[in-house]
Amino acid sequence: MTAATVKQTLAGWGRYPQVASQVARPDRYAEVAAWAREASLARGMGRAYGDAAISAGGTTVLMTRLNRFISFDADSGLLRAEAGVTLDEILQVVMAQGWFLPVTPGTRYVTLGGAIAADVHGKNHHHVGSFSAFVQSFELFTPAGALTCSASENVEAFNATVGGMGMTGLIGEVTLQLKRIQSGNMLVQHLPAPDLATALALMDSPEHDDEYTVAWIDCLAGGKHLGRSVFMRGHHAEGPLTAGPGPARLKLPVNLPTLALNRYSVKAFNAFYYRWEGRKQKSFHCDIAPFFYPLDGIRDWNRLYGKPGFVQYQFLLPPETAAAGLKSVLERLAKSGNASFLAVLKRFGPGGSGLMSFPAPGYTLALDLPLRHDTLALLDTLDAVVLEHGGRVYLAKDARLAASNLVRMYPQLDEWRRIRATLDPDRLFVSALGQRLEMC
Ligand SMILES: Cc1cc2nc3c(=O)[nH]c(=O)nc-3n(C[C@H](O)[C@H](O)[C@H](O)COP(=O)(O)OP(=O)(O)OC[C@H]3O[C@@H](n4cnc5c(N)ncnc54)[C@H](O)[C@@H]3O)c2cc1C
């Protein structure tokens, strides 16, 4: 018998859309199998931006109380834990012992289950691939029963679940290979790139390559400054080992007025940031937290976008078309007057085995856009540019893509559907995203 459920309004990190939901919050691992027979979606920390962690009906199972560590071998770096353990909780245990996450997204407040379901990537994708490359195995609870999935066992279920956005069942215990570090320090360098071509050249150049690379783009700069960026690179340095990152020191207590983030405030910020950050051309040391998780320093920073919320538009373009496609997107964005406070460019290496995983060779740009009356229409035009250039949109960030575009972006969608149907023939596991995109 499963525990009681409560009514709760759920949203993603962008706070759009918001959906009245039926929510369960099991705290014993033994309950997971029962929930897999009647639930319709797992939810971790709700850091997916759009509607990926909202169920289309039925019960949403909050996994965050299933957060027990099962074992950690400090010699091999092999960790086994329940899927509700967050990356932050892992760092608190392993960093002082000389271990780190092999791949980490830009926030540490995501669960192991969420990291697998979105097959998350970090600033080192061009060297090591995405999260699933380090997942040795996980338990998958489906309506038909439990499976152990890995690259050699129940391989189809593994490949459909990594990047499968929760729609193959509930991920239970996870075994993850961590990465050795010598210290809690990073050696970092910031270089200004006056335009897009320079930013892409820096990302491509073996001379400027590093373990981690990323570029912040001033997406309001136009004309000859289009794509003006600060290129950032870094690697783990030598030095003393440290404890995991501390908690956020600041908190945004209320929603900001909708007008606070506008074209003018963002333009002023961008001009300042480009000069300030671009000036640090000498290498410098910094802690893990500001390098990997700059936004985690402010709790509830998503309130910055006011009551209507915001959308993140993250897309990928293949290497051959990236320069032209990025130029076209940035031009349209600048012309629309929509101001993205945050615009982050990363380089991807080869994709992994996940049938619906986002990463593939090329470049990815993530834009945070406040929800205005014209934002969704603008994003439809950007979808057309992305498709024209052979790219795709990241489902973990999406709240509004049209179903007709999904199949053109994810060529393995039909294969994923076939495998998913064997795991969940009665279509119990469907998110609002899956329903909108007609995935199941
Ligand atoms: C500030 C910020 C920065 C980010 N940076 C990056 C980045 O650099 N790279 C990147 O790839 N992503 C990034 N993300 C996105 C984030 O990493 C993913 O959306 C991740 O899936 C969120 O994990 P979560 O635990 O919050 O899961 P949720 O948001 O709660 O759920 C996400 C998906 O995972 C599924 N899921 C969760 N738990 C389970 C489970 N136990 N079993 C089955 N399915 C499950 C849900 O059904 C849903 O489909 C960022 C998000 C934020 C807010």
Side-chain angles (χ1 to χ4, degrees), residues 44-123:
M45 292 291 281
R47 259 35 178 205
Y49 278 71
D51 51 1
I54 301 169
S55 103
T59 305
T60 307
V61 184
L62 290 190
M63 300 295 286
T64 45
R65 282 189 184 158
L66 301 172
N67 64 343
R68 293 167 193 87
F69 284 80
I70 294 151
S71 62
F72 174 56
D73 181 339
D75 291 325
S76 67
L78 206 61
L79 170 81
R80 187 159 176 83
E82 290 175 359
V85 166
T86 65
L87 302 189
D88 181 60
E89 287 164 341
I90 294 174
L91 293 177
Q92 303 308 331
V93 171
V94 305
M95 265 184 65
Q97 302 183 62
W99 294 94
F100 191 62
L101 299 159
V103 166
T104 179
T107 172
R108 57 190 190 272
Y109 298 117
V110 313
T111 60
L112 280 172
I116 292 174
D119 195 11
V120 297
H121 59 270
K123 298 176 177 127

Side-chain angles (χ1 to χ4, degrees), residues 225-274:
H225 298 302
L226 189 86
R228 161 170 94 167
S229 308
V230 179
F231 172 75
M232 306 170 187
R233 61 179 187 156
H235 54 264
H236 295 279
E238 303 280 317
L241 288 168
T242 58
R249 293 219 183 94
L250 300 171
K251 175 175 161 73
L252 210 63
V254 289
N255 294 322
L256 281 201
T258 322
L259 287 176
L261 272 187
N262 58 46
R263 182 180 180 78
Y264 304 101
S265 58
V266 174
K267 199 166 187 160
F269 170 82
N270 284 0
F272 164 76
Y273 190 80
Y274 177 72

Side-chain angles (χ1 to χ4, degrees), residues 11-14 32 40-55 60-64 66 82-87 103-123 130-131 139-141 161 164-172 174 292-293 295-296 301-302 310 312 314 342 344 346 348 358-359 366 368 394-397 429 431 433:
W13 188 243
V32 179
S40 51
L41 201 71
R43 180 175 168 101
M45 292 291 281
R47 259 35 178 205
Y49 278 71
D51 51 1
I54 301 169
S55 103
T60 307
V61 184
L62 290 190
M63 300 295 286
T64 45
L66 301 172
E82 290 175 359
V85 166
T86 65
L87 302 189
V103 166
T104 179
T107 172
R108 57 190 190 272
Y109 298 117
V110 313
T111 60
L112 280 172
I116 292 174
D119 195 11
V120 297
H121 59 270
K123 298 176 177 127
S130 51
F131 199 79
E139 298 300 307
L140 182 68
F141 293 87
T161 300
M165 303 309 300
M167 286 178 276
T168 58
L170 300 173
I171 299 166
V174 177
F292 289 101
Y293 312 115
L295 290 166
D296 284 350
W301 65 261
N302 53 349
F310 68 112
Q312 183 168 103
Q314 181 169 1
L342 204 81
V344 177
K346 290 180 199 145
F348 279 169
F358 173 63
D368 279 356
Y394 188 12
L395 298 184
K397 310 292 178 77
F429 282 86
S431 64
L433 171 130

Side-chain angles (χ1 to χ4, degrees), residues 108-391:
R108 57 190 190 272
Y109 298 117
V110 313
T111 60
L112 280 172
I116 292 174
D119 195 11
V120 297
H121 59 270
K123 298 176 177 127
N124 55 352
H125 189 277
H126 58 303
H127 286 305
V128 304
S130 51
F131 199 79
S132 60
F134 300 90
V135 174
Q136 289 218 339
S137 66
F138 55 79
E139 298 300 307
L140 182 68
F141 293 87
T142 74
L147 307 169
T148 300
C149 303
S150 72
S152 56
E153 194 178 357
N154 293 309
V155 181
E156 285 202 331
F158 182 88
N159 292 340
T161 300
V162 304
M165 303 309 300
M167 286 178 276
T168 58
L170 300 173
I171 299 166
E173 289 177 8
V174 177
T175 305
L176 180 72
Q177 177 62 57
L178 299 177
K179 168 195 171 86
R180 211 7 130 199
I181 48 169
Q182 304 304 324
S183 79
N185 257 325
M186 303 297 297
L187 188 61
V188 180
Q189 189 183 25
H190 291 183
L191 295 169
D195 53 34
L196 182 63
T198 315
L200 291 175
L202 282 169
M203 288 211 132
D204 267 346
S205 125
E207 189 195 336
H208 293 97
D209 191 20
D210 214 327
E211 194 172 359
Y212 304 95
T213 61
V214 65
W216 164 87
I217 294 198
D218 174 358
C219 60
L220 282 179
K224 66 179 181 167
H225 298 302
L226 189 86
R228 161 170 94 167
S229 308
V230 179
F231 172 75
M232 306 170 187
R233 61 179 187 156
H235 54 264
H236 295 279
E238 303 280 317
L241 288 168
T242 58
R249 293 219 183 94
L250 300 171
K251 175 175 161 73
L252 210 63
V254 289
N255 294 322
L256 281 201
T258 322
L259 287 176
L261 272 187
N262 58 46
R263 182 180 180 78
Y264 304 101
S265 58
V266 174
K267 199 166 187 160
F269 170 82
N270 284 0
F272 164 76
Y273 190 80
Y274 177 72
R275 282 190 186 85
W276 183 257
E277 290 298 318
R279 131 200 99 84
K280 301 180 186 166
Q281 293 182 35
K282 275 200 179 148
S283 297
F284 61 96
H285 282 95
C286 77
D287 291 344
I288 294 268
F291 184 76
F292 289 101
Y293 312 115
L295 290 166
D296 284 350
I298 308 172
R299 255 176 73 196
D300 299 333
W301 65 261
N302 53 349
R303 290 179 160 183
L304 201 64
Y305 290 86
K307 223 170 167 190
F310 68 112
V311 279
Q312 183 168 103
Y313 189 70
Q314 181 169 1
F315 62 95
L316 159 80
L317 296 173
E320 320 75 73
T321 59
L326 285 166
K327 180 168 178 283
S328 179
V329 166
L330 290 171
E331 278 170 355
R332 278 161 210 263
L333 196 65
K335 200 165 150 210
S336 76
N338 267 274
S340 176
F341 187 49
L342 204 81
V344 177
L345 183 70
K346 290 180 199 145
R347 183 152 79 96
F348 279 169
S353 63
L355 295 169
M356 293 299 288
S357 291
F358 173 63
Y363 296 87
T364 175
L365 180 65
L367 304 163
D368 279 356
L369 295 166
L371 251 174
R372 301 187 336 188
H373 66 282
D374 55 352
T375 307
L376 299 181
L378 168 73
L379 296 182
D380 288 343
T381 67
L382 299 190
D383 286 343
V385 176
V386 168
L387 274 168
E388 193 189 320
H389 291 84

